[in-house]
């Protein structure tokens, strides 16, 4: 029984549009058709890494959020979910049957990053997903990112897919100037992937002046293009806490991410400073997030009413 439950817990699926982790068919049917076994066959890290990230559990982290928007600070919460999966290099989606995928299978670290906060009467709900290969020496670029945002005026969506020599960007928005856009971006580092790279190998984080595609939350909320910008990156450490700082000289925006210097390099919080508001009233404001609760669990199978108390364990509203 324990072996069967362990196998079932490895079955992870996601849907960006439906917001559900349920598989197209039942877990029992999928298990009977093709048992899924995660392995560390392409993982170039220590046994400590494999024991933590290939134990059939995701890491769920909730944060107190103070979000800068419209020239004010709005309280809310954020969640970072990190989990390893087997990904299709060709289709750039999670593999349903990785055992038969052959060379198309790429083990990845996935981040699902959500923010929820209210601006006056109406709420914001933001989510980004990042799919970064675990073996960055073999596959040095993140394969895919996506971002969606919903609020009472409408919603937006953007997706980047790695192609041979560029990223293909598709964007959809209720704003006229941003609706149904498709463009090519240079194959450079993405701000959105820095979060997964911290969890994989922070000692290899790039430092100095680099070209960086700004984060999708920033570009979409500020209606900015996703063109690469010059950024200054630095990594410091004090008292067991590392801080990775990204500064954009041209825009004056900065982002600093605090995380455990030791494994598993859990993200403890972040601060993002930028000008917020309109016209003469615009002023620099700082978004802040601080780790509140953390949980390791196979959340995709914890979808019953009886599992609601787990949200309380994460300090999230039911």
């Amino acid at each position: 029984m324990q072996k069967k439950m362990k196998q079932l817990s490895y079955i992870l699926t996601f849907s960006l549009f439906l917001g559900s982790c349920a598989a197209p068919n039942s877990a029992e049917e999928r298990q009977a058709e093709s048992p899924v076994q995660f392995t560390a066959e392409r993982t170039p890290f220590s046994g400590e890494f494999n024991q933590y990230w290939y134990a059939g559990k995701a890491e769920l982290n909730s944060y107190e959020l103070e979000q800068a928007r419209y020239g004010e600070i709005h309280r809310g919460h954020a969640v970072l979910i990190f989990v390893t999966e087997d990904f299709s290099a060709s289709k750039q989606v999670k593999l349903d049957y990785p055992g038969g995928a052959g060379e198309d299978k790429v083990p990845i670290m996935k981040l699902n990053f959500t923010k929820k906060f209210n601006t006056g009467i109406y709420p914001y709900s933001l989510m980004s997903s990042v799919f970064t290969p675990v073996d960055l020496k073999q596959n040095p670029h993140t394969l895919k990112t996506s971002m969606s945002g919903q609020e009472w005026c409408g919603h937006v969506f953007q997706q980047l897919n790695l192609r041979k020599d560029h990223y293909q960007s598709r964007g959809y928005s209720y704003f006229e100037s941003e609706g149904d856009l498709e463009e090519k971006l240079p194959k450079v580092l993405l701000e959105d992937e820095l979060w997964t790279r911290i969890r994989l190998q922070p000692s290899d984080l790039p430092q100095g002046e680099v070209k960086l595609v700004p984060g999708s939350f920033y570009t979409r909320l500020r209606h900015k293009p996703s063109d690469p910008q010059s950024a200054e990156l630095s990594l410091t450490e004090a008292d067991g806490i590392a801080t990775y700082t990204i500064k954009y000289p041209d825009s004056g925006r900065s982002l600093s991410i605090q995380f455990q210097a030791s494994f598993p390099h859990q993200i403890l919080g972040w601060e993002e400073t930028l000008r917020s508001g309109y016209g003469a009233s615009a002023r620099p404001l700082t978004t802040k997030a601080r780790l509140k609760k953390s949980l390791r669990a196979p959340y995709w199978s914890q979808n019953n009413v009886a599992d609601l108390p787990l949200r309380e364990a994460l300090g999230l509203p039911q």
Side-chain angles (χ1 to χ4, degrees), residues 19-127:
S20 168
C21 291
N25 53 345
S26 71
E28 291 79 10
E29 291 171 338
R30 188 179 296 275
Q31 176 64 25
E33 293 170 0
S34 178
V36 178
Q37 295 288 343
F38 274 117
T39 68
E41 59 188 3
R42 295 190 191 176
T43 303
F45 298 101
S46 67
E48 183 181 37
F49 180 95
N50 297 329
Q51 290 168 12
Y52 189 88
W53 288 114
Y54 288 90
K57 296 178 180 180
E59 184 193 87
L60 297 85
N61 305 284
S62 67
Y63 300 81
E64 294 281 0
L65 178 67
E66 298 177 10
Q67 178 70 43
R69 187 69 173 148
Y70 302 130
E72 296 180 314
I73 296 296
H74 307 270
R75 294 190 176 275
H77 65 267
V79 176
L80 300 185
I81 301 173
F82 291 94
V83 67
T84 53
E85 292 182 345
D86 284 328
F87 206 64
S88 167
S90 60
K91 297 179 181 178
Q92 296 191 356
V93 293
K94 181 188 176 298
L95 286 165
D96 290 332
Y97 307 104
E103 292 301 312
D104 190 47
K105 182 176 70 174
V106 178
I108 57 98
M109 173 76 73
K110 180 177 77 172
L111 164 63
N112 282 337
F113 184 168
T114 67
K115 288 184 178 183
K116 292 184 182 293
F117 57 93
N118 295 329
T119 53
I121 191 174
Y122 65 95
Y124 268 81
S125 178
L126 307 176
M127 179 173 179

Side-chain angles (χ1 to χ4, degrees), residues 203-224:
S203 60
D204 290 342
L205 288 168
Q207 298 188 63
E209 185 173 341
V210 301
K211 287 291 187 180
L212 193 63
V213 174
S216 54
F217 286 159
Y218 166 74
T219 58
R220 295 285 55 82
L221 290 183
R222 298 299 298 269
H223 312 294
K224 300 287 188 181

Side-chain angles (χ1 to χ4, degrees), residues 13-26:
T13 58
F14 67 88
S15 169
L16 291 171
F17 296 101
L18 298 181
S20 168
C21 291
N25 53 345
S26 71

